[in-house]
Amino acid sequence: MDVNRWHNLMLALGVGANQDTFQRLIASYSEPHRYYHTARHIDACLTYLDQVRQLANYPAEIEIALWFHDAIYKPRATMNELDSANWCRDFLIANHIGQPVVERVHQLIMITCHNAAPVSEDEKLLVDIDLAILGAPANIYWQFEDNVRKEYKWVPGFIFRAKRKAILLGFLLRARIYHHEYFFHKLELQARANLQAAIERL
């Protein structure tokens, strides 16, 4: 999470440096209970965004949504996405960003709940970026699975395995994991291989 990148994003949005919010985000992504949902995840998402920026309708909106989408992350909570989206909404409103932008960014973050199909092209790009880890090379994917388990280390093994298997199977049973053609062609096959192997390991 590079401060220069943050400042460039603030310029793109037409607002001030907001250094205090940058520091708050760094602190959030550095919380000790995080193993996967860290600054490294955000950096990976931003790297993917750079690859598809030209495909986005509002790339700055996708970027600010990525910065905030896991800003609130409590493994025992059920409203992390909403809390993160609301924080971002409040930040945008405080910086006098127009209501249409605020609403689009809020929806971009909420789509990372992964319980509804994305509609707009920007929603498709963002949700696929968030799920890009599923299509990572096997060694990186296994580290992801290990880190997820660490974030839920308080859950008994037999319960975690059952819940995790259900989640992974839910993705595997979809007609397609990735909604945007770019990510579908780039990551779909590897993601399905990773998910199948993870389910078998559980």
Side-chain angles (χ1 to χ4, degrees), residues 46-196:
L46 295 175
T47 297
Y48 273 111
L49 174 60
D50 289 342
Q51 297 175 17
V52 298
R53 182 174 291 273
Q54 73 282 2
L55 302 176
N57 291 317
Y58 303 104
E61 294 178 15
I62 297 178
E63 181 159 354
I64 193 66
L66 287 171
W67 277 87
F68 274 91
H69 82 283
D70 285 324
I72 305 297
Y73 182 72
K74 301 173 183 177
R76 297 173 187 264
T78 60
M79 298 179 64
N80 290 320
E81 292 85 1
L82 179 59
D83 290 341
S84 297
N86 287 346
W87 180 7
C88 188
R89 179 193 61 197
D90 294 344
F91 167 77
L92 294 173
I93 291 173
N95 280 274
H96 310 292
I97 299 294
Q99 190 63 27
V101 176
V102 173
E103 291 177 0
R104 284 196 300 266
V105 173
H106 194 275
Q107 177 58 23
L108 284 172
I109 296 175
M110 290 306 298
I111 205 68
T112 65
C113 292
H114 303 296
N115 56 13
V119 177
S120 72
E121 290 301 296
D122 284 1
E123 288 175 13
K124 292 176 182 179
L125 287 171
L126 185 135
V127 75
D128 285 359
I129 287 170
D130 190 36
L131 293 179
I133 186 62
L134 300 183
N139 61 315
I140 298 175
Y141 177 80
W142 288 120
Q143 184 62 58
F144 157 68
E145 286 291 340
D146 290 343
N147 285 336
V148 170
R149 182 64 181 110
K150 289 175 183 177
E151 289 184 342
Y152 288 89
K153 58 188 176 183
W154 47 275
V155 179
F158 73 98
I159 295 177
F160 177 84
R161 288 190 295 273
K163 295 286 188 181
R164 189 64 182 164
K165 183 176 182 179
I167 290 171
L168 299 181
L169 191 60
F171 283 114
L172 192 60
L173 292 177
R174 292 182 179 184
R176 52 192 291 170
I177 296 166
Y178 297 103
H179 298 272
H180 198 282
E181 291 302 315
Y182 176 88
F183 287 100
F184 179 77
H185 291 298
K186 185 180 181 69
L187 301 175
E188 185 81 11
L189 291 178
Q190 183 64 49
R192 290 191 174 279
N194 288 337
L195 289 169
Q196 186 62 50

